[in-house]
């Protein structure tokens, strides 16, 4: 959206929430610094969808919406399909019942929404679920539920951040991984070298130790033979 559209949304929030204390304009009619920050966070959103998200917040929340609230409501509009944990498990079981879990795994996966497919992969795939023993199905279902929650949460966060910020975060993570990889490879592995022992004291000590070990071994053997 444009800066003007961002300001239009902020004016709407300010009109509906008197406690929204954001000052939009300075005395010279330029945007305030605080307003510029809001614009920077909102400008990458689609105007019409952002408008719907803000209207929803105004109608359902008593509190002044924050940037995070707006982006979370916006992300919910973008989710391809919100599938709760119980429904997701039911979809998986139905897909396995329809196509089988061994010979038509790909078809069963294609039947599922994207988030559910990812959760299925986390617990070992369609085959692992279909071949799970009856006594182990509930623990597996619990693992799937956790995976489904994690997937939904990650998708919501990514959509809330927006493509630009998500890309920047991913790039930072990639750069850090490359730095660690370079650091590991740049440090030479120290090789341990063993030279000949020339110190007479060390030689005598080693001989005594070897003699003691031979004596202990001999006694152990005698005890074993006696027991037999």
């Amino acid at each position: 959206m444009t800066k003007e559209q961002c300001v239009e949304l902020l004016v709407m929030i300010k009109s509906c929430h008197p406690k929204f204390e954001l000052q939009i304009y300075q005395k010279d009619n330029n945007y305030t610094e605080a307003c510029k920050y809001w614009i920077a966070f909102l400008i990458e959103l689609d105007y019409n969808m952002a408008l719907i998200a803000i209207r929803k917040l105004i109608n359902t929340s008593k509190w002044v919406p924050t940037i995070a609230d707006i982006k979370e409501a916006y992300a919910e509009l973008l989710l391809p399909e919100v599938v709760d944990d119980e429904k997701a498990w039911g979809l998986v079981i139905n897909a396995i019942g329809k196509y089988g879990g061994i010979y038509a795994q790909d078809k069963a996966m294609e039947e599922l929404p994207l988030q559910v497919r990812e959760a299925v992969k986390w617990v070992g795939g369609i085959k692992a679920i279909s071949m799970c023993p009856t006594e182990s199905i509930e623990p597996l279902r619990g693992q799937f539920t956790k995976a489904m929650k994690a997937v939904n949460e990650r998708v919501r966060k990514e959509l809330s951040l927006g493509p630009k910020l998500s890309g920047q975060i991913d790039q930072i993570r990639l750069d850090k991984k490359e730095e660690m990889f370079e650091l590991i490879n740049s440090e030479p592995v120290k090789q341990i070298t063993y030279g000949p022992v020339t110190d007479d004291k060390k030689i005598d000590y080693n001989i005594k130790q070897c003699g003691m070990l031979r004596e202990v071994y001999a006694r152990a053997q005698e005890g074993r033979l006696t027991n037999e």
Side-chain angles (χ1 to χ4, degrees), residues 19-151:
K19 292 184 179 180
F20 186 55
E21 298 177 353
L22 177 68
Q23 190 68 32
I24 297 177
Y25 294 104
Q26 298 177 357
K27 291 181 179 180
D28 57 3
N29 287 330
N30 289 321
Y31 300 134
T32 63
E33 290 300 314
C35 181
K36 289 178 182 178
Y37 283 122
W38 274 79
I39 291 173
F41 282 111
L42 298 179
I43 199 167
E44 66 177 354
L45 306 181
D46 176 79
Y47 171 75
N48 291 322
M49 293 186 67
L51 177 61
I52 294 171
I54 292 172
R55 282 179 175 175
K56 178 184 176 183
L57 290 171
I58 290 173
N59 280 282
T60 59
S61 176
K62 299 178 181 179
W63 314 111
V64 177
T66 63
I67 292 173
D69 293 331
I70 294 171
K71 289 207 165 189
E72 185 175 349
Y74 184 91
E76 289 179 358
L77 299 175
L78 291 176
L79 282 173
E81 185 178 353
V82 178
V83 184
D84 62 44
D85 312 328
E86 293 298 323
K87 182 180 178 182
W89 181 256
L91 291 174
V92 173
I93 298 303
N94 289 338
I96 292 174
K98 183 177 180 180
Y99 295 103
I102 299 177
Y103 301 109
Q105 298 177 51
D106 293 340
K107 288 185 177 180
M109 285 289 275
E110 290 172 2
E111 188 87 357
L112 303 172
L114 292 176
Q115 299 104 301
V116 181
R117 293 181 201 175
E118 191 167 345
V120 168
K121 291 177 182 177
W122 280 21
V123 297
I126 290 289
K127 185 177 180 180
I129 296 173
S130 63
M131 297 183 67
C132 181
T134 305
E135 63 272 14
S136 302
I137 198 68
E138 283 305 315
L140 182 64
R141 182 175 182 172
Q143 294 174 8
F144 175 84
T145 299
K146 291 180 180 179
M148 195 67 218
K149 287 180 179 178
V151 171

